[in-house]
Amino acid sequence: MTVKVYMLDTAPLLKAWEEKDPAVDLLYASLSEKRQEKIQRFRYPKGKALSLGAGLLLDYGLGRHGLREREVAMAYGADEKPYLKDYPDIHFNLSHSGAMAMAAFADRQVGCDVEQEGKPDYRIVRRFFAPEEIRALEEQTEECKRARMFYRFWTLKESFLKVTGKGIRMPLNDFAIFLGPPVQVKQAGEGKPYGFKEFSLPGYQAALCVEGAEPGIFAKIQFLSWGPEGLV
């Protein structure tokens, strides 16, 4: 199975939500009660639109397998990583930032992360990054390249954390990302069998991590748009 990656710009969803467009109500109603509850927990419309977008991407990806988000039984791991209880061969992961929602699907453990780029807060580097990553950033003298490297490290590290399912139980400086090529991850100096794929988008950086990826497994991003009938 090729890893599938879907992206959705939720800015139109946010606009429709704020304008109380009936089409948004239809999309909202098409999702499970669990997702609806998650959407409603967000205080502001932007968060609601992002969560709705992530839910729609999940529904779309499951639809490629003949399933619907509102019909499948979700279970949760130790760090609340969701998985499909009755379909152990279908793995997925979701992420969102800024106005962008992201979903990844694979036949093995998969993690993804998207981050809206801005001015990096380098104060967190020494606190959360591994010595090898700190050294690479300090050696980069051009600010624009250092900022891009920061977001590359951040999204790659997040995608690895999510694929392992350990979340906050694994400190960010407990492992090191090497930008390669190819991108690699090491713990205590030992390489780990994970594959990575990076995506540079206007204003965003995204990364994907899967178990034991072989060449050719990664697909290009499929950008989707929304309508009253769902995503296309």
Side-chain angles (χ1 to χ4, degrees):
M1 172 184 176
T2 300
V3 180
K4 300 292 185 181
V5 184
Y6 306 108
M7 287 279 195
L8 175 67
D9 182 354
T10 65
L13 272 179
L14 173 59
K15 184 174 183 293
W17 188 289
E18 293 176 328
E19 294 176 351
K20 303 187 185 305
D21 187 332
V24 175
D25 293 333
L26 293 175
L27 295 175
Y28 175 84
S30 71
L31 300 177
S32 65
E33 290 185 5
K34 187 81 172 178
R35 172 55 62 171
Q36 291 178 20
E37 291 171 0
K38 190 167 187 175
I39 293 170
Q40 291 302 333
R41 284 199 294 270
F42 284 90
R43 183 175 179 182
Y44 298 107
K46 180 180 178 180
K48 294 179 186 294
L50 280 170
S51 186
L52 173 60
L56 293 174
L57 287 178
L58 176 57
D59 189 48
Y60 181 90
L62 290 176
R64 306 310 95 185
H65 297 277
L67 305 172
R68 294 301 304 272
E69 185 272 342
R70 65 173 180 264
E71 297 170 352
V72 296
M74 291 283 179
Y76 297 85
D79 283 283
E80 294 300 306
K81 182 181 181 181
Y83 63 93
L84 303 178
K85 183 177 180 181
D86 300 320
Y87 301 93
D89 294 329
I90 302 175
H91 299 267
F92 71 91
N93 199 232
L94 305 174
S95 180
H96 54 69
S97 176
M100 195 68 66
M102 179 181 188
F105 291 81
D107 61 352
R108 62 198 74 187
Q109 292 291 343
V110 60
C112 67
D113 187 57
V114 59
E115 296 291 337
Q116 185 176 33
E117 295 177 337
K119 186 177 181 180
D121 183 356
Y122 292 115
R123 294 175 299 179
I124 70 175
V125 171
R126 289 197 171 277
R127 182 178 177 186
F128 294 111
F129 281 30
E132 298 90 339
E133 298 161 345
I134 296 172
R135 189 158 50 247
L137 282 164
E138 290 179 340
E139 290 173 353
Q140 183 55 254
T141 58
E142 294 184 43
E143 175 53 30
C144 62
K145 292 182 178 180
R146 180 163 51 235
R148 182 169 184 269
M149 183 181 287
F150 171 88
Y151 282 104
R152 287 184 67 193
F153 275 132
W154 190 262
T155 54
L156 288 164
K157 289 172 79 68
E158 286 289 334
S159 69
F160 175 68
L161 280 178
K162 293 172 77 174
V163 79
T164 63
K166 294 183 179 179
I168 60 174
R169 288 186 295 134
M170 182 189 294
L172 280 168
N173 58 8
D174 190 54
F175 61 94
I177 296 291
F178 294 83
L179 297 180
V183 175
Q184 293 180 301
V185 59
K186 294 184 179 181
Q187 286 182 290
E190 180 182 349
K192 297 297 180 181
Y194 291 90
F196 294 88
K197 176 76 172 180
E198 296 181 87
F199 305 95
S200 293
L201 313 170
Y204 293 87
Q205 181 70 22
L208 189 68
C209 180
V210 298
E211 288 182 320
E214 61 268 14
I217 190 174
F218 294 110
K220 294 181 179 179
I221 292 176
Q222 182 176 347
F223 288 92
L224 302 172
S225 58
W226 72 276
E229 302 302 320
L231 301 186
V232 292

